[in-house]
Amino acid sequence: MSGLRARVRRFLQKPGSASLAGYQALLPDVAGREEALGQLTDGELTTLARDTIDDAGICAVGREAGRRGLGERPFDVQLLGTLALLAGQVAEMATGEGKTLSGALAAAGYVRRGHQVHVMSVNDYLARRDAEWMRPVYDLLGVTVAWIGQGSTPEERRQAYRADICYASANEIGFDVLRDRLAVAATDLVTVDPDVVLIDEADSVLVDEALIPLVLAGSVGDTDPVQDMALIAGRLLPRLHYEVDDERRNVFLTDSGARIAEQALGGIDLYAEDNLDALTQLNVALHAQALLQRDVDYIVRDGRIQLVSASRGRVARLQRWPDGLQAAVEAKEGLRATESGEILDSITIQALVRRYPVACGMTGTAVAVGEQLREFYGLEVAVIPPNRPCVRQDDPDRLYRHAADKEEAVVAEVDTAHAAGRPVLLGTLDVAESERLAARLVLAGLPCVVLNAKNDAEEAAIVAEAGAAGAITVSTQMAGRGTDIRLGGTSGDGGEVAELGGLLVIGVGRHASSRLDDQLRGRSGRQGDPGGSVFYLSMEDELITTCAPDAARPAEVDADGRVSDAKAHWTVGHAQRVAEGTALQIHRDTWRYNVLIEDQRRAVLDYRDQALNFDAALDELEESSPDRVAELRGAGVPDEVLSEAARQITLSCLDQAWAEHLAQAASLREGIHLRSLGSSSNPFGGSLVPLQEFNRELTELFSRFTAEVSDRTVAAFQEAKITETGTDLAGAGLKRPSATWTYVVQENPFGTDFGRAVQAISRFLGRR
Ligand code: ADP
Ligand code: MG
């Protein structure tokens, strides 16, 4: 009964999608203006566009600009997409439907209404490609466009952000926002106030990558405690002093392990509140020692640790693990610690997007994450129908008992399609699988290309050829690649390939979310092309063994290992739903830990803005230290210098205190979590109780933070040598970081607190 009720509730809560009726009603009006617009000169079109702010008008001039600028007259459905974007929704439009142009028309429309638009692209390559591709349309519409990439200079960035429309990856925008965070003069600021953001591949940015922190760090040095802990961790023995769980995601100190560590640390009690830092550091050192493997998780090159990303199969150059972990691995390998630096500030993509008063986006798969989009961003989804109906044939799953049988069947399927000349795209779940499969295909005489190119542009070129007759392409992660697969490739005969049945997509296993399966499938059958898709699975696939571990042995298995019983097929869907539910829970949980700190961050930044742009700093000091101000004025220190001194001192104290606050928040979070695992009285404390505890303690820390900043500011103002020529900040003990750098935190390989809490709970239940 309760199971049924839960299901009904889930059904009722499933967010519907927005109605298109209002948009559709505008189309005749748009069509009615087409002929007259066609008569205008380019100059007249631009002039008209500048005065057009109504929805139908924006679409009509946009259509004409698309036709002239690109030779592509936007289809009605593309205009429906534009209208959804202009209404602040996420437009779901299948791959190849022409979202780039729909988005451009919406961006121009927002500009006409007085806004400034950031188009968030998936990567630098696409930011540049799309901005340049759409430029002729924007020119005709009389709006300016620019893009930003990793190599852009501060001056180029400053200018780009001041264009009407600026294309950039979420990372680059985030890094600029973070760097601005340290500006000591208003003229150093690079970014502008956030206004409208239009997000391409919105589900990937807003859901999959939403909680990855972007970090700004500055140099400080000093990693000794980490090295000490690495030595201690290195002395502990598996099984005796610590246990590793089956999935190799967690290490637990045993009692005797804890005793040894406590002795080594001078007889402390590791689980006492005061020793949270030590417990955290030891735990991180143990993770580095026991769970991260050289040449699998990372490689050591030129005396540095470089991370290997399993899903993308590349050395991820700009990525680091969360700081303590990175330092712990360096200590384990006996490397000189790279400056982990002090985290000066960090922001998640979710928080970055939430800064914009208006957000909208587009993607091939939005409905499946409708719940998250609404919950975390207040966004509605509009489902835009395809221009021509999709005729792709999606076959039912082929399920095998063993992985080996599955692989054999995949090779046979590729062989058959290839013999007929039909292009095949194989989607795998990780790079290791891609490589294994590619090797098998080559052995079977089937030449294939594996997508693991070093850069996005190269990758795009390979994807573009995946539809050529006879092509076999093996890839992980088709999500967010942004390149469209035309039948025949870029130069071949599309008609010939269409006759063979179009592109065949073969999924070698279901992803952890059906949305990713759909993205892979969606690579075939674009714009009404023929095509097909099929997934090959086995009961040994990781999704099933982890998310449905108790699945019964399949009852009906034929001679080549293929499973036909309905129960087993149901299990696959069930496992995927479990994985999706867990991912949502993790997202929710992680976000809850972020909410308070984001609020605090906003309060600090508001204050900082006041100090940076106005005389707030001096005003405040005049109130708190009137004597000192009078004294300095008396010594003839002019008001501009005094005001600048107050500003510099206030900003230094504030930034330093914020960095310390962030560090405290991080260790508080980790520590509370470890404490809840360590104390057997609270085995269910995995999620809610620690969150309340965390929020309570963080609020308390922050209440002290404000007082602390003003105390420090006053003290420094008393002490600092301020003369008519300027202020000696260093003399007053204030330092600005000598260098700063930015990076993306690689997802913690051991999962989130939530994942660990689940495991703690199941261990507890298991023990009883
Ligand atoms: P999406 O981002 O939706 O996958 P793209 O914006 O990459 O799709 O466009 C896919 C292809 O369709 C591109 O080659 C583009 O030139 C083409 N295209 C887009 N709109 C039109 C149109 N109205 N008429 C003809 N071709 C179009
Ligand atoms: Mg696209």
Side-chain angles (χ1 to χ4, degrees):
M1 181 62 201
S2 71
L4 176 66
R5 207 178 302 143
R7 246 177 298 148
V8 169
R9 199 167 49 224
R10 235 188 345 258
F11 176 77
L12 290 177
Q13 280 178 350
K14 208 162 181 69
S17 51
S19 160
L20 302 183
Y23 310 147
Q24 251 142 359
L26 294 176
L27 292 176
D29 186 1
V30 178
R33 305 192 200 188
E34 188 159 358
E35 202 182 319
L37 288 175
Q39 312 294 319
L40 302 180
T41 63
D42 286 358
E44 286 166 340
L45 179 66
T46 306
T47 308
L48 179 67
R50 283 192 214 277
D51 295 325
T52 303
I53 53 167
D54 65 301
D55 283 337
I58 286 168
C59 289
V61 293
R63 172 174 272 172
E64 185 59 24
R67 195 181 64 76
R68 293 188 196 190
L70 301 175
E72 291 174 359
R73 176 186 170 277
F75 304 118
D76 280 356
V77 290
Q78 280 174 291
L79 297 184
L80 294 179
T82 300
L83 290 165
L85 292 166
L86 280 170
Q89 296 168 335
V90 174
E92 179 174 280
M93 298 169 70
T95 310
E97 288 291 305
K99 289 188 282 294
T100 318
L101 182 53
S102 285
L105 301 188
Y110 273 114
V111 172
R112 281 299 145 247
R113 293 180 181 171
H115 294 285
Q116 215 257 350
V117 184
H118 291 170
V119 181
M120 256 185 203
S121 313
V122 171
N123 57 42
D124 282 7
Y125 164 76
L126 291 174
R128 176 180 181 164
R129 183 199 74 174
D130 292 353
E132 294 303 342
W133 181 11
M134 295 297 128
R135 192 181 291 281
V137 179
Y138 289 131
D139 284 347
L140 283 163
L141 293 174
V143 299
T144 57
V145 61
W147 53 268
I148 289 171
Q150 212 183 356
S152 305
T153 64
E155 195 43 45
E156 285 162 352
R157 289 166 191 265
R158 187 172 296 122
Q159 278 175 23
Y161 282 117
R162 278 150 189 79
D164 293 327
I165 299 169
C166 177
Y167 284 72
S169 71
N171 288 4
E172 287 305 316
I173 297 177
F175 288 149
D176 283 330
V177 166
L178 287 174
R179 280 186 288 251
D180 268 0
R181 163 83 185 67
L182 277 197
V184 288
T187 47
D188 290 345
L189 295 174
V190 164
T191 60
V192 291
D193 283 344
D195 187 355
V196 175
V197 63
L198 192 162
I199 304 157
D200 195 10
E201 308 291 352
D203 56 332
S204 152
V205 175
L206 296 180
V207 176
D208 301 329
E209 321 229 299
L211 293 172
I212 297 178
L214 307 177
V215 175
L216 175 74
S219 46
V220 279
D222 195 22
T223 43
D224 284 346
V226 177
Q227 265 145 8
D228 293 346
M229 286 301 180
L231 287 178
I232 295 174
R235 274 196 270 147
L236 302 180
L237 300 171
R239 280 185 298 277
L240 186 58
H241 299 135
Y242 61 86
E243 286 171 39
V244 176
D245 70 15
D246 298 339
E247 288 165 33
R248 297 192 55 80
R249 284 163 61 93
N250 257 313
V251 216
F252 303 90
L253 270 183
T254 60
D255 284 348
S256 78
R259 259 199 316 277
I260 291 189
E262 285 172 341
Q263 269 164 19
L265 291 167
I268 63 170
D269 171 7
L270 263 182
Y271 292 96
E273 195 157 344
D274 292 348
N275 294 323
L276 270 185
D277 284 351
L279 178 61
T280 309
Q281 285 161 1
L282 178 62
N283 197 60
V284 168
L286 260 185
H287 273 77
Q289 182 71 35
L291 300 185
L292 284 176
Q293 286 181 46
R294 182 167 173 165
D295 295 328
V296 175
D297 300 300
Y298 62 91
I299 57 173
V300 177
R301 187 189 283 167
D302 305 329
R304 299 171 70 99
I305 302 285
Q306 297 196 326
L307 275 59
V308 174
S309 145
S311 61
R312 292 179 197 253
R314 318 181 194 168
V315 168
R317 264 175 306 130
L318 274 176
Q319 301 200 348
R320 297 170 60 91
W321 283 302
D323 257 335
L325 190 57
Q326 182 87 13
V329 175
E330 283 160 352
K332 165 185 168 187
E333 293 293 340
L335 300 174
R336 236 191 36 192
T338 51
E339 265 199 291
S340 59
E342 179 180 33
I343 294 184
L344 301 173
D345 200 11
S346 97
I347 190 172
T348 59
I349 289 179
Q350 180 154 332
L352 184 70
V353 169
R354 286 167 57 110
R355 295 168 75 239
Y356 290 85
V358 179
C360 59
M362 47 199 192
T363 172
T365 43
V367 172
V369 284
E371 199 175 333
Q372 281 101 312
L373 294 176
R374 175 183 288 183
E375 177 175 339
F376 298 119
Y377 305 93
L379 286 168
E380 299 292 325
V381 175
V383 180
I384 311 295
N387 184 43
R388 288 200 285 148
C390 178
V391 297
R392 184 186 61 233
Q393 192 187 325
D394 296 325
D395 282 358
D397 292 342
R398 303 201 184 137
L399 178 61
Y400 290 79
R401 178 138 97 199
H402 299 294
D405 297 334
K406 163 178 111 170
E407 264 182 41
E408 200 154 307
V410 168
V411 174
E413 172 96 46
V414 176
D415 194 22
T416 312
H418 186 70
R422 193 176 179 191
V424 181
L425 173 68
L426 287 140
T428 64
L429 300 182
D430 60 47
V431 173
E433 188 173 42
S434 278
E435 277 165 7
R436 205 179 49 240
L437 194 64
R440 279 205 66 164
L441 291 171
V442 171
L443 273 181
L446 298 163
C448 60
V449 190
V450 184
L451 253 188
N452 55 7
K454 313 273 174 304
N455 69 65
D456 297 313
E458 215 171 280
E459 225 158 55
I462 295 177
V463 174
E465 295 304 336
I472 304 177
T473 312
V474 183
S475 170
T476 61
Q477 292 253 349
M478 283 311 290
R481 288 209 190 260
T483 312
D484 155 63
I485 303 182
R486 283 176 187 246
L487 297 187
T490 50
S491 54
D493 181 354
E496 184 197 328
V497 176
E499 241 151 63
L500 298 170
L503 177 68
L504 175 62
V505 165
I506 301 179
V508 189
R510 290 270 206 94
H511 294 81
S513 106
S514 60
R515 184 166 46 88
L516 297 182
D517 293 346
D518 290 344
Q519 273 171 359
L520 175 62
R521 265 191 231 283
R523 289 300 162 157
S524 167
R526 68 175 279 285
Q527 287 279 349
D529 284 343
S533 79
V534 60
F535 280 74
Y536 281 81
L537 322 167
S538 92
M539 297 302 285
E540 291 170 355
D541 289 354
E542 201 183 330
L543 180 68
I544 298 176
T545 55
T546 44
C547 295
D550 305 327
R553 280 168 64 91
E556 296 159 31
V557 181
D558 71 12
D560 42 10
R562 188 155 165 194
V563 176
S564 48
D565 71 271
K567 180 98 176 31
H569 279 266
W570 177 86
T571 302
V572 176
H574 170 71
Q576 197 173 44
R577 282 189 296 276
V578 169
E580 288 168 344
T582 311
L584 174 58
Q585 193 54 46
I586 288 174
H587 191 143
R588 246 184 217 139
D589 215 64
T590 313
W591 178 243
R592 282 186 190 137
Y593 274 95
N594 271 302
V595 170
L596 183 59
I597 201 145
E598 282 302 331
D599 286 348
Q600 296 178 343
R601 185 173 183 278
R602 216 166 309 125
V604 169
L605 284 188
D606 281 347
Y607 177 67
R608 196 180 195 284
D609 272 352
Q610 294 293 317
L612 188 64
N613 292 302
F614 307 100
D615 272 337
L618 182 58
D619 292 349
E620 204 145 297
L621 283 170
E622 265 184 299
E623 233 166 77
S624 57
S625 338
D627 297 348
R628 174 70 170 151
V629 172
E631 175 199 331
L632 288 168
R633 284 213 169 103
V637 177
D639 254 25
E640 310 90 75
V641 176
L642 198 56
S643 155
E644 191 55 28
R647 190 195 324 277
Q648 298 305 330
I649 290 173
T650 304
L651 294 179
S652 290
C653 291
L654 186 69
D655 293 345
Q656 185 54 40
W658 178 248
E660 288 166 21
H661 183 68
L662 279 181
Q664 282 175 321
S667 67
L668 180 66
R669 179 174 170 178
E670 186 67 11
I672 283 185
H673 172 71
L674 289 176
R675 230 155 62 197
S676 75
L677 289 188
S679 69
S680 47
S681 57
N682 183 19
F684 294 96
S687 86
L688 257 190
V689 178
L691 176 65
Q692 285 165 5
E693 178 75 3
F694 174 79
N695 281 347
R696 197 181 56 71
E697 293 194 30
L698 192 66
T699 306
E700 210 175 289
L701 278 178
F702 195 65
S703 68
R704 271 180 267 146
F705 170 88
T706 349
E708 179 75 21
V709 172
S710 64
D711 287 355
R712 285 193 207 176
T713 308
V714 169
F717 189 60
Q718 296 289 355
E719 253 171 63
K721 225 172 99 201
I722 302 172
T723 63
E724 60 208 292
T725 54
T727 316
D728 178 14
L729 287 180
L734 298 175
K735 52 179 187 331
R736 308 246 9 127
S738 51
T740 64
W741 60 93
T742 48
Y743 57 85
V744 182
V745 178
Q746 164 97 340
E747 200 186 329
N748 188 324
F750 311 115
T752 61
D753 291 347
F754 175 77
R756 284 185 266 163
V758 167
Q759 292 188 347
I761 293 171
S762 48
R763 277 166 59 86
F764 176 77
L765 293 178
R767 231 180 283 142
R768 290 204 308 186

